[in-house]
Amino acid sequence: MKKKHSKAQIDYLASREHFVQISQQADKRIAELKEAGKEVAQAEMEEIIERVGLHRAFNELTQAENVLINWTQTAIKTEPEFIENRSNFEALYEKVKTDAEARGAILNLAMRLNLDLA
């Protein structure tokens, strides 16, 4: 049976893929400069980042992550595991803005959910 994704999950997957593609473009341009024997200093890095739109892609990914994280808070409220471990989940959500591991754990959880909630 094929997994059904929510809009938040689909948007996150699209943003993540776009960010990866933009990152690869930046890496390719850096590699090309190095192969040409040019030094890649801060000014060159900033120009590459601006030209490929890495900041914009990162901001879009972060926004999609935030929407997905908010979606999970609604999606799991009636799940038995959440109800049994409510304090642990709430503590994890408190850390999501300051702890990369907590954020990653919530995003991982969010992509495992197979619910159709907007």
Side-chain angles (χ1 to χ4, degrees), residues 56-75:
R56 185 176 54 253
F58 178 77
N59 289 337
E60 290 169 0
L61 175 59
T62 302
Q63 178 62 32
E65 287 176 352
N66 291 339
V67 169
L68 184 60
I69 289 166
N70 290 338
W71 171 80
T72 64
Q73 288 180 301
T74 302

Side-chain angles (χ1 to χ4, degrees), residues 78-91:
T78 59
E79 293 296 310
E81 189 174 340
F82 172 77
I83 294 167
E84 292 170 16
N85 299 298
R86 183 182 198 103
S87 62
N88 291 337
F89 278 103
E90 287 176 351

Side-chain angles (χ1 to χ4, degrees), residues 1-20:
M1 188 161 111
K2 188 174 181 181
K3 180 177 178 175
K4 189 171 187 177
H5 290 295
S6 72
K7 181 178 180 341
Q9 290 169 316
I10 292 167
D11 290 348
Y12 166 72
L13 289 171
S15 293
R16 187 177 69 185
E17 179 60 29
H18 182 249
F19 178 77
V20 167

Side-chain angles (χ1 to χ4, degrees), residues 32 80 107:
E32 288 170 354
L107 291 170

